[in-house]
Amino acid sequence: MSVLGGAYFFIENERRDRYDNPSEDLIFEFIGELNLRDNGSFVVEPVLASVDWYVSISLLDSGEFETVYRCASRGEHRVVIGDSPSGLSYDVTVWIAGLPSSLKPIRTQN
């Protein structure tokens, strides 16, 4: 269970830069920092290991981005190739927001 305002998902890249509850803007920044030398991908996933979804974005040799959407409880595993960082960050944000409430934390107030 998460307390109101607490972290329920995070973003982390190959350099181990990690932020809780990333905004669309932060996802966009992470996409812009991808490179083929030492930071080729990142993942957005829930803090709770028992919640079974994730999104990963990887930079391909072609300069395009591969986005993997995975949600085991919904039987979803989808791969999308794109080249627009703003479009990708928007799509990831909308996908996470659209997850069923059963896959999001229960938020309580004290």
Side-chain angles (χ1 to χ4, degrees):
M1 182 176 337
S2 177
V3 177
L4 185 64
Y8 71 95
F9 69 105
F10 65 92
I11 188 169
E12 185 173 17
N13 63 20
E14 290 181 347
R15 293 185 208 143
R16 301 271 188 226
D17 298 326
R18 179 180 166 152
Y19 297 92
D20 291 336
N21 300 334
S23 65
E24 181 179 340
D25 289 339
L26 185 59
I27 294 169
F28 177 82
E29 287 179 34
F30 266 56
I31 294 169
E33 293 174 356
L34 292 176
N35 65 70
L36 297 174
R37 290 181 318 277
D38 67 346
N39 189 39
S41 66
F42 65 86
V43 66
V44 181
E45 61 186 320
V47 171
L48 298 174
S50 61
V51 181
D52 63 352
W53 63 264
Y54 70 85
V55 177
S56 68
I57 296 182
S58 302
L59 178 62
L60 302 175
D61 290 337
S62 66
E64 295 177 300
F65 303 97
E66 176 185 81
T67 307
V68 178
Y69 298 90
R70 175 83 167 115
C71 182
S73 65
R74 295 194 313 184
E76 182 176 3
H77 184 209
R78 180 169 51 103
V79 178
V80 177
I81 306 296
D83 61 1
S84 168
S86 61
L88 293 172
S89 58
Y90 175 79
D91 291 346
V92 168
T93 303
V94 168
W95 187 84
I96 292 169
L99 289 169
S101 59
S102 62
L103 300 177
K104 296 178 184 176
I106 298 169
R107 293 183 174 231
T108 60
Q109 293 180 342
N110 293 336

